[in-house]
Amino acid sequence: MLSNAIRIPAAPTPPAEIDRTLVWLTVLLLGLGVVMVYSASIAIAEGGRATGNQATYYLARHAVFVALSVLAGLIAFQIPTRLWQRFALHLFLIGLVLLLLVLIPGIGREVNGARRWIPLIVFNLQPSELMKVFAVLYAADYTVRKAAFMHSLSRGFLPLFSVMLLTGGLLLREPDFGAFAVITVIAMGILFLGGMNWKLFAGLIVMLVAGFVALIWFSPYRMQRILGFLDPWSDPYGKGYQLSHALIAFGRGEWLGVGLGGSVEKLFYLPEAHTDFLLAVIAEELGFVSVLAIVVMFAWIVWRAFAIGRRAAFQERYYAALVAQGIGLWIGVQAIINMGVNMGVLPTKGLTLPLLSFGGSAITATCVAIAILLRIDWENRQHARGFKV
């Protein structure tokens, strides 16, 4: 009788230990990537001798890459942020050594004129992808250590600039202009977020723009890409080939797409359909609505990264804050560049779409970065409850 007369309130739901939304966004993008890589690669897999004419060649490899990347992420999540900070310089030096090794004939593998991979029996390691993670960790550590000198050109800016100049030189020797651009944005963005003098930052932006223009102006193949971007229809079978077919794919897809598996452009028309131009195949088969959903998911991930970073900064965990926001910058900028290239808004550049495109090193690096971001968020929640992490 008493239990019927008195309502006992239910126990409050304990707060989540991790950001479940961020986890589900990552899972959704990885799952969509598996489906679309298979769809985009069937034709090229069936028609290639290197693939043994097996339609599931890229699907099988991509599924293995995703599984290993998730495992790597689970391991990375177990590592406290303070350990990432302690070994940030060591990891960055390892990245530089790998960038040097990839340039050595007999060690680095050359494909289509670019030497970006180190063969490791069962897969090819792309050091530039790992370097993105290492750049985030090192730039954040440097900024925290040099916080008192962020207004000084000689003591705050130039040391990191020199290191990144060396890194950029190695990347341009491959050449990998896309990775160079992303890593530059990561380093400079973290410096700015860490309190770099705005006048120095403005001057740096001018220098970077001038440097990028010079790299394009004095490089014939980069200039050809710019010309193809400005008017792809003037030479649709030459320098405008990739972009023109990507635009055709977007046009065919309209709002809801032609249906999963129904892409025509992936049938040997659109180069790199399962890697750099996967978004064009998604647009053709699943329509603009799906592209918009992908944009929203990436925007959500970036927003969560900056929100996690702000919470860490509020708790005076400044290294964790800069790492979280650096990861947000990296994923956001790379996604914007890839989408811009696919939509004809930016010149053609070999950058994959994070978590979606085929590529073992890229998926592994991104999953590790997401795991580090989740670890920072977990530590934020433990810190808020009064636990030491």
Side-chain angles (χ1 to χ4, degrees), residues 121-355:
I121 304 176
V122 294
F123 70 97
N124 295 317
L125 176 67
Q126 190 171 357
S128 59
E129 294 296 338
L130 299 182
M131 199 61 178
K132 294 171 186 176
V133 181
F134 300 157
V136 170
L137 299 173
Y138 174 69
D141 175 57
Y142 176 88
T143 303
V144 170
R145 287 188 288 107
K146 297 284 187 176
F149 307 111
M150 281 296 102
H151 294 274
S152 170
L153 176 65
S154 59
R155 302 183 68 180
F157 166 67
L158 285 181
L160 182 62
F161 179 76
S162 302
V163 172
M164 289 303 167
L165 195 63
L166 171 62
T167 306
L170 293 173
L171 289 169
L172 291 175
R173 288 286 298 170
E174 295 184 8
D176 195 342
F177 189 77
F180 170 61
V182 171
I183 290 175
T184 300
V185 170
I186 289 171
M188 298 304 104
I190 289 177
L191 274 179
F192 179 74
L193 292 168
M196 183 180 179
N197 183 284
W198 71 269
K199 292 181 180 178
L200 288 177
F201 189 76
L204 172 64
I205 293 298
V206 173
M207 290 172 55
L208 287 176
V209 171
F212 279 120
V213 170
L215 285 172
I216 294 170
W217 186 266
F218 293 106
S219 176
Y221 88 92
R222 292 193 184 105
M223 181 61 72
Q224 290 299 315
R225 286 190 171 186
I226 294 295
L227 294 175
F229 158 71
L230 293 175
D231 187 7
W233 307 110
S234 64
D235 188 11
Y237 297 104
K239 55 181 177 288
Y241 184 79
Q242 286 179 306
L243 179 54
S244 61
H245 281 280
L247 294 176
I248 291 171
F250 270 88
R252 289 193 74 246
E254 297 185 350
W255 284 100
L256 300 177
V258 297
L260 184 62
S263 170
V264 172
E265 288 302 315
K266 69 183 182 186
L267 304 177
F268 301 100
Y269 293 106
L270 182 61
E272 311 297 338
H274 59 300
T275 55
D276 301 348
F277 285 90
L278 184 67
L279 188 69
V281 177
I282 294 174
E284 186 179 4
E285 294 191 349
L286 304 181
F288 180 75
V289 171
S290 296
V291 173
L292 184 59
I294 291 172
V295 172
V296 170
M297 284 192 281
F298 276 114
W300 203 333
I301 289 175
V302 173
W303 174 75
R304 287 303 305 146
F306 274 82
I308 291 168
R310 283 196 301 272
R311 184 179 298 178
F314 180 77
Q315 297 174 352
E316 298 184 351
R317 301 174 59 242
Y318 299 116
Y319 174 76
L322 290 176
V323 169
Q325 294 177 344
I327 291 172
L329 271 176
W330 159 21
I331 294 176
V333 167
Q334 183 160 331
I336 288 171
I337 293 175
N338 180 274
M339 293 176 183
V341 168
N342 276 258
M343 298 179 188
V345 179
L346 294 173
T348 303
K349 177 42 52 205
L351 276 176
T352 58
L353 189 58
L355 300 172

Side-chain angles (χ1 to χ4, degrees), residues 98-119 125-128 170-176 221:
L98 291 174
L99 289 180
L100 281 169
L101 289 176
V102 80
L103 297 175
I104 300 176
I107 297 179
R109 180 188 177 193
E110 184 173 344
V111 178
N112 296 328
R115 191 183 297 274
R116 301 177 185 174
W117 299 270
I118 298 177
L125 176 67
Q126 190 171 357
S128 59
L170 293 173
L171 289 169
L172 291 175
R173 288 286 298 170
E174 295 184 8
D176 195 342
Y221 88 92

Side-chain angles (χ1 to χ4, degrees), residues 30-31 33-34 61-71 355 360 363 367:
L30 286 173
V34 171
R61 291 176 64 85
H62 189 70
V64 171
F65 290 152
V66 169
L68 292 176
S69 298
V70 171
L71 178 61
L355 300 172
I363 296 175
C367 284

